[in-house]
Amino acid sequence: GARVLPGGSNIHHAPTPVLSLAASAGEIEIVQTLIERGAALEETDENYEFGNTPLMFACWPGKIEVIQTLIRAGANVNATDNWSVTVLMHAAKRGSLSVVEQLVKNGANVNAIVEEFEHWERFGDEKIEDPYYGKSVLVFAIEGGNPEVVEYLLRQGARVNQEEVRPEYYKSAMQ
């Protein structure tokens, strides 16, 4: 069953998991306590359309110590959200070189490409364009606007010719 923290808070099944909230706030002591108490490292904010993991939440503000703690505890550096956007893609778009380096050093795939979105039922009859399909980590980095991140990814083997998946993204991103 779900574990309960002192005071009665359920550490599973909150709309946004508490581990994700603590990770995004950079609360390293709370993150460590939640992990010790069995908080799920891959639990996502499924009540929302994105499905982000705690590691993704930690990457946005660039909380290196939290990121390292989550990775050491076993968080998947190649996890994807509901749109198939990887942790590294989130970090590359945020533009933090230190976060990108940490993920790559721990096995994040620099050549991942966003797969086709498969959760259209969440939008009912509304058919919207998938804003991510076919984008690579490198495209997210270019969109993020930090040349150091782009250069680092290239040094780590990110391919520049992945345009066969969805060429219009590459033409617009490289202009």
Side-chain angles (χ1 to χ4, degrees), residues 71-91:
I71 291 171
R72 273 195 305 271
N76 180 2
V77 295
N78 287 302
T80 59
D81 64 17
N82 290 342
W83 291 86
S84 296
V85 176
T86 68
V87 178
L88 184 57
M89 291 170 182
H90 282 284

Side-chain angles (χ1 to χ4, degrees), residues 50-53 56 60 76-93 112-117 119 130-137 140 143:
F50 300 110
N52 296 313
T53 66
M56 290 172 188
W60 300 329
N76 180 2
V77 295
N78 287 302
T80 59
D81 64 17
N82 290 342
W83 291 86
S84 296
V85 176
T86 68
V87 178
L88 184 57
M89 291 170 182
H90 282 284
K93 185 148 188 174
I113 295 178
V114 177
E115 303 295 330
E116 194 164 5
F117 185 64
H119 303 282
D130 183 341
Y132 308 111
Y133 173 61
K135 288 186 179 183
S136 69
V137 175
F140 278 90
E143 290 175 350

Side-chain angles (χ1 to χ4, degrees), residues 151-170:
E151 291 166 16
Y152 174 78
L153 290 169
L154 290 170
R155 285 194 309 273
Q156 296 304 309
R159 293 188 302 263
V160 295
N161 295 314
Q162 295 179 333
E163 68 275 356
E164 67 278 358
V165 179
R166 200 156 176 202
E168 64 272 20
Y169 274 106
Y170 290 86

Side-chain angles (χ1 to χ4, degrees), residues 4 23-24 29 34 39-40 75 84 98 103 106 159 171:
V4 177
S24 68
E29 295 84 10
L34 292 170
S84 296
S98 59
L103 294 170
N106 283 282
R159 293 188 302 263
K171 289 178 184 140

Side-chain angles (χ1 to χ4, degrees), residues 7 21-23 31 38 41 47 54 71 77 83 95-97 108 117 123 125 130 138 142 149 151-152 157 162 167:
L21 295 173
V31 166
L41 293 170
N47 291 353
I71 291 171
V77 295
W83 291 86
S96 170
L97 180 59
F117 185 64
F123 297 98
D125 293 333
D130 183 341
L138 195 57
I142 291 166
V149 171
E151 291 166 16
Y152 174 78
Q162 295 179 333

